[in-house]
Amino acid sequence: MSPELHLQMIINRNAELHEQAANHRRALQAEAARKNRAEGERRRSFFGKINAA
């Protein structure tokens, strides 16, 4: 196998693994959000946290 082909295979596999990791993180975040909503916790908007003085 030529070095160029081997390098290209490594680059492609690295990209695939990064994509899988990102998908897994999104799935975990979605599950955590569903769990929080099920427990009655609601997310507040950024502007809802600002107190007018």
Side-chain angles (χ1 to χ4, degrees):
M1 181 181 313
S2 71
E4 295 84 14
L5 180 59
H6 189 249
L7 178 62
Q8 190 61 43
M9 288 176 57
I10 291 171
I11 291 170
N12 287 342
R13 182 65 178 148
N14 188 28
E16 290 172 1
L17 291 174
H18 278 279
E19 184 179 352
Q20 287 177 358
N23 290 339
H24 184 68
R25 274 192 303 277
R26 276 194 296 272
L28 290 177
Q29 290 171 349
E31 181 64 31
R34 277 193 296 273
K35 182 179 178 183
N36 286 341
R37 281 194 302 265
E39 293 173 355
E41 184 178 321
R42 301 188 118 207
R43 296 180 78 187
R44 295 179 58 181
S45 71
F46 174 75
F47 296 108
K49 295 180 181 180
I50 297 175
N51 293 329

